[in-house]
Amino acid sequence: MTSDGVEVDYLVVGAGAMGLAFVDVLLTETDATVALVDRYDRPGGHWTRAYPFVRLHQPSAFYGVNSEKLGLDRVDTEGSNAGHHELASGPEVVAYFDHVVTRRFVPTGRFHHLPMTEFADGVVTSVLTGERHDISARTVVDATYSNVTVPSMRAPAFPVAPGLRWMAPNEMPEIVTPADGYVVVGGGKTGVDACLWLLGRGVEPDAIRWIVPRDAWLLDRLNIQPVEAFFDSTVGGYALQLEASADAETVDDLFDRLERTGQLLRLDPAVRPTMYRCATVSRAELDELRRIRGVVRLGRVRSVEHDTITLDDGAIPTTPNTVHIDCTADGLERRPQVPVFTDGRITLQSVRTCQQVFSASLIAHVEATVSDIDHRNELCEVIAHPDTDIDWLRTTLANTRSVARWAREPGLGEWLEASRLNSMRIGDASALTEEQMAVSMRVLRSMGRAIRNLDRLLQTV
């Protein structure tokens, strides 16, 4: 059965954070009509499948859509995030996206929401009834390309013996009987969250073993805050990053400088990280994580049996009554880079490292204001998600080049300063103190040197 046809300017596939941020700018800045299709019942993408204790790792101030703030715009006074801008919980994010769709998008009269549908070969089909929707669009927007995946969305990539207490983080709050111990599998953001949840619920650190295939360089959350109240740590931190990038003689020297100035952190001072994936922690959270002495650094898990966990470089014992927590999903996998803009198609990707919603909103603004497709792609150069330590250099170089490119584009600077999703906006420059202006000048003086030296350092690896 086929429903009556609908004609729209844009058909957006995927109602995750990037798709919603893109639609928001289109509806705000243009008179375009938009249809949004998504396989899930509620907007929010992976947030609707995330574990219940998940929170943003970066401030709510920089997340969501441009036209609607997320949260109460406050600084936390208690807990491990005290002294930092609030971090919305997963349920808060889902409720926020519901509000954005129903209270902001729908009332425009230019928006069609088609939940629980899939798009393939030019046809939108209901996953419930099989009904086909004829929708014609001038441009199709792929908001699913990043393929964000959380543990509850897939099985582990290795065999797990039946009968074990094996679970995704979603099931942790449902534990009702004591365990012999807890094994957290995965060293990324989800693993960090799982460890902090266990410690926060009174589990002794020595009852936790944390399988960390690769140690990661971590970002101090204090350096990723709204500039107005955190100028010294944010703009000052950016100046320190650029100066380290400009002055470092070797790659090792660069990381030493970044760590010495507090721009990068690590779990164990004795273990040099080889991974970088934009994970952020507060200093209080890092202190908590360092209480766990049972960190297992034997590579990736190959199999889990009733009494043994086999890894690349060894094995550790386990028991059927040990709770094993699967945090191995590659939340933001490295995808092949494709042009954002092609004829009749837009593929949403990051144009600033680990700032997906900002990237989607900027892409929508460029779509609305720039007519030449080659120039659009110049302004929206894709920056692949980081994975290794060397990717810190690559992504910082790409980000810095983009900042310089955007500064030369007429009108774009004003839009960036007005965008609430732009974590690098400074605000009213005339209100800066003399000391703050001096910090801003350090950024400008270091930018060109940083670009040249990072390019040189990358050629040595």
Side-chain angles (χ1 to χ4, degrees), residues 23-45:
V23 170
D24 176 71
V25 171
L26 275 188
L27 293 176
T28 302
E29 299 185 9
T30 76
D31 60 0
T33 53
V34 180
L36 177 65
V37 303
D38 190 74
R39 69 181 63 172
Y40 299 141
D41 180 49
R42 300 182 71 185

Side-chain angles (χ1 to χ4, degrees), residues 213-372:
R214 297 180 297 163
D215 276 65
W217 285 113
L218 304 168
L219 298 172
D220 186 342
R221 194 174 298 131
L222 184 62
N223 301 332
I224 310 169
Q225 298 292 312
V227 169
E228 293 83 356
F230 296 86
F231 190 94
D232 290 342
S233 63
T234 55
V235 180
Y238 187 43
L240 290 170
Q241 291 176 37
L242 290 177
E243 288 167 348
S245 299
D247 297 334
E249 296 181 3
T250 65
V251 171
D252 285 344
D253 181 34
L254 171 61
F255 284 108
D256 287 342
R257 290 171 185 258
L258 292 169
E259 184 175 28
R260 190 163 57 245
T261 57
Q263 301 310 298
L264 290 177
L265 308 172
R266 57 171 136 174
L267 179 64
D268 187 338
V271 179
R272 188 79 167 197
T274 59
M275 180 170 73
Y276 170 67
R277 304 202 71 177
C278 300
T280 72
V281 292
S282 67
R283 296 287 181 136
E285 289 170 343
L286 185 59
D287 289 342
E288 278 292 287
L289 293 170
R290 285 174 171 168
R291 296 173 59 210
I292 300 174
R293 294 182 293 181
V295 179
V296 179
R297 296 180 170 92
L298 294 173
R300 298 182 183 276
V301 172
R302 292 302 177 189
S303 64
V304 183
E305 301 297 334
H306 290 100
D307 58 357
T308 305
I309 301 174
T310 303
L311 301 101
D312 289 333
D313 302 316
I316 60 173
T318 192
T319 70
N321 193 42
T322 294
V323 169
H324 306 80
I325 304 162
D326 180 12
C327 302
T328 61
D330 192 352
L332 283 172
E333 66 175 318
R334 192 80 164 265
R335 302 298 308 277
Q337 294 173 232
V338 300
V340 170
F341 298 95
T342 55
D343 289 338
R345 191 173 187 85
I346 297 173
T347 306
L348 299 184
Q349 297 158 89
S350 290
V351 298
R352 179 185 287 163
T353 306
C354 298
Q355 295 288 317
Q356 285 80 28
V357 292
F358 166 79
S359 296
S361 67
L362 177 62
I363 290 168
H365 176 71
V366 169
E367 163 71 10
T369 58
V370 178
S371 58
D372 182 75

Side-chain angles (χ1 to χ4, degrees), residues 336-409:
Q337 294 173 232
V338 300
V340 170
F341 298 95
T342 55
D343 289 338
R345 191 173 187 85
I346 297 173
T347 306
L348 299 184
Q349 297 158 89
S350 290
V351 298
R352 179 185 287 163
T353 306
C354 298
Q355 295 288 317
Q356 285 80 28
V357 292
F358 166 79
S359 296
S361 67
L362 177 62
I363 290 168
H365 176 71
V366 169
E367 163 71 10
T369 58
V370 178
S371 58
D372 182 75
I373 193 170
D374 291 331
H375 189 38
R376 288 177 184 171
N377 281 318
E378 288 173 3
L379 291 172
C380 297
E381 179 183 346
V382 176
I383 304 177
H385 298 307
D387 182 64
T388 71
D389 54 346
I390 299 303
D391 285 335
W392 189 94
L393 284 75
R394 178 184 60 78
T395 56
T396 301
L397 175 59
N399 285 332
T400 307
R401 282 175 168 161
S402 291
V403 168
R405 185 182 302 117
W406 296 338
R408 298 191 296 267
E409 182 69 15

Side-chain angles (χ1 to χ4, degrees), residues 66 412-422 425:
N66 241 343
L412 187 53
E414 291 82 354
W415 185 88
L416 291 168
E417 278 300 313
S419 170
R420 80 167 195 87
L421 300 179
N422 179 16
R425 63 190 176 99

Side-chain angles (χ1 to χ4, degrees), residues 3 11 38-39 101 137 151 163 170 174 195 211 213 248 295 329 332 426-427 430:
S3 65
L11 173 63
D38 190 74
R39 69 181 63 172
V101 169
N170 303 57
E174 300 172 12
C195 288
I211 296 177
V295 179
L332 283 172
I426 294 177
S430 66

Side-chain angles (χ1 to χ4, degrees), residues 231 429-441:
F231 190 94
S430 66
L432 297 181
T433 66
E434 187 174 332
E435 292 78 11
Q436 290 173 334
M437 187 60 72
V439 172
S440 298
M441 292 305 298

